[in-house]
Amino acid sequence: MSNVRVPRLTRRGILAAGGALGLGAVLAACGDDDKTSGSSGKETTAAKSGPWTFKDDRGTTVKLDKAPANIVAFVGVAAALYDYGIDVKGVFGPTRTKAGKADVQAGDMDISKLTVLGNEWGQFNVEKYAALAPDVLITTMFDGAGTLWYVPDESKDKIARLAPSVGISAYDRRLTVPLQRVWALAESLGADMTASKVTDAKKRFEAAATRLRAAAKAHPDLKVMAGSAAQDLFYVSGTNLSVDLEYFKALGVNFVEPPESAKKPGGGWYESLSWENVDKYKADIIMMDDRSATIQPADITQATWKKLPAVKAGQVIARSPEPIFSYDKCVAMVENLAKALETAKKVS
């Protein structure tokens, strides 16, 4: 466990330093390393005036003199916080599509009001980040090493010196855990967690989970395959380590489990298949990766895909491998799978 306190620079100070000497002066003003101190022992502390602390999923406790106002976050985390009434100043990660519309991971946010630091993997404009005078950077983590999602390795040290970071883990845990963690984070930031919009969304999620459990129990013979399409390969995901699939499996859903995925170092994720071998596994329902970097079902032209029984039967639904961790946004993904199980025909 560690504590992190990063010195604050005012917006004017950062802009002045940037104008006079460039980013190097800003980074130097932030010091070389984070200093550590004893833990408060509290996971979250929220107050509109007074100190703010939050213990993240790396065991790191971030301490600030007050609740952060200038928040920069991975777009999916920003979208979740938005659902709880918390706005961010900047985002990174898939935010807008090539057509200029909001990416699926942007949720309900008005992306025209956001500073986008990078829209693709490896993109992160450190100069823009510094100009935002960030109080904190928040993102998810998808491995056991605590790697901050979409924060590039080559610039992570510069980024770390500008503001403390909070990591919410989506690795080797079921969906409800990061949902609870983002809830706690939003509450610490001052969100009203008693608002009817918030409490109603949680109730709808719980009802959807009950519905999915019942559907899975009523149709144990239906096999579900989680897939993702690329130009040359089709990826079949195993449930191991997948935050959504582990949860659905716990509710009783019968998934295709590629044995190769279980052999990967540290666990699973997926098996890659050529399009000629896309029929290797029998499935009644196919869940397809809805992220903009993947090919969507309507755009798949391979004949082998079109011949799959589930495709011919119209039993293909969307899947969100990187969910927006608010209850409101996770309702649909649970309900969609429940409906698919309730209405699908056995075709495998």
Side-chain angles (χ1 to χ4, degrees):
M1 185 190 313
S2 62
N3 295 296
V4 177
R5 185 185 293 273
V6 172
R8 287 291 317 284
L9 291 178
T10 65
R11 180 181 301 275
R12 179 176 297 178
I14 281 190
L15 291 175
L21 300 172
L23 181 62
V26 178
L27 296 175
C30 287
D32 294 329
D33 297 294
D34 296 330
K35 296 183 179 179
T36 59
S37 59
S39 171
S40 67
K42 296 181 180 179
E43 186 170 88
T44 60
T45 303
K48 292 187 177 180
S49 61
W52 178 84
T53 69
F54 187 84
K55 181 180 177 183
D56 77 358
D57 292 338
R58 297 168 297 180
T60 299
T61 300
V62 176
K63 293 184 176 184
L64 297 173
D65 293 337
K66 59 181 180 180
N70 293 346
I71 300 171
V72 173
F74 174 71
V75 62
V77 176
L81 292 175
Y82 180 85
D83 286 346
Y84 293 127
I86 303 296
D87 292 323
V88 305
K89 294 295 179 69
V91 297
F92 54 96
T95 305
R96 60 171 60 93
T97 65
K98 293 180 180 178
K101 298 181 179 180
D103 189 277
V104 64
Q105 295 192 64
D108 294 333
M109 294 188 296
D110 182 350
I111 62 173
S112 68
K113 296 180 179 180
L114 298 170
T115 297
V116 181
L117 305 177
N119 198 63
E120 298 178 6
W121 184 264
Q123 294 180 348
F124 194 111
N125 191 313
V126 184
E127 288 84 355
K128 279 188 178 182
Y129 180 55
L132 289 173
D135 294 319
V136 67
L137 178 148
I138 308 171
T139 187
T140 43
M141 301 180 296
F142 284 89
D143 64 24
T147 304
L148 297 178
W149 191 234
Y150 266 80
V151 175
D153 282 343
E154 58 270 22
S155 54
K156 65 181 182 181
D157 291 339
K158 291 181 179 179
I159 293 168
R161 289 197 290 268
L162 287 166
S165 60
V166 167
I168 300 297
S169 180
Y171 175 77
D172 197 20
R173 56 189 56 192
R174 297 173 186 171
L175 178 64
T176 46
V177 178
L179 275 172
Q180 292 162 1
R181 296 293 289 134
V182 173
W183 175 288
L185 175 62
E187 187 174 33
S188 80
L189 293 169
D192 181 4
M193 309 313 284
T194 64
S196 58
K197 177 183 177 182
V198 173
T199 57
D200 287 350
K202 192 170 187 291
K203 290 176 182 177
R204 287 189 292 112
F205 176 84
E206 291 167 347
T210 299
R211 177 183 174 186
L212 177 55
R213 187 188 296 276
K217 185 176 181 179
H219 303 282
D221 58 325
L222 293 178
K223 201 77 171 179
V224 180
M225 180 169 67
S228 184
Q231 190 64 42
D232 300 317
L233 293 171
F234 181 83
Y235 301 94
V236 180
S237 295
T239 58
N240 187 29
L241 306 182
S242 295
V243 67
D244 58 331
L245 303 185
E246 281 199 3
Y247 178 63
F248 297 150
K249 183 179 181 179
L251 293 177
V253 178
N254 184 12
F255 280 99
V256 168
E257 297 281 9
E260 287 80 357
S261 68
K263 296 176 184 177
K264 292 183 181 295
W269 287 112
Y270 61 86
E271 177 186 358
S272 56
L273 301 174
S274 66
W275 283 103
E276 289 77 12
N277 296 315
V278 73
D279 60 353
K280 178 177 179 178
Y281 298 107
K282 306 299 181 184
D284 303 292
I285 299 168
I286 302 176
M287 301 175 67
M288 289 296 292
D289 189 337
D290 69 355
R291 291 175 293 182
S292 56
T294 67
I295 301 174
Q296 297 305 299
D299 299 318
I300 299 175
T301 59
Q302 283 79 359
T304 49
W305 163 261
K306 295 179 179 180
K307 291 179 181 178
L308 293 177
V311 175
K312 292 172 69 175
Q315 295 173 180
V316 178
I317 64 172
R319 176 201 170 204
S320 300
E322 292 180 56
I324 294 172
F325 292 119
S326 73
Y327 286 102
D328 179 71
K329 292 299 176 290
C330 287
V331 169
M333 57 190 283
V334 180
E335 287 183 338
N336 288 346
L337 182 52
K339 181 179 179 181
L341 288 171
E342 291 165 350
T343 59
K345 297 177 182 178
K346 181 68 179 175
V347 294
S348 65

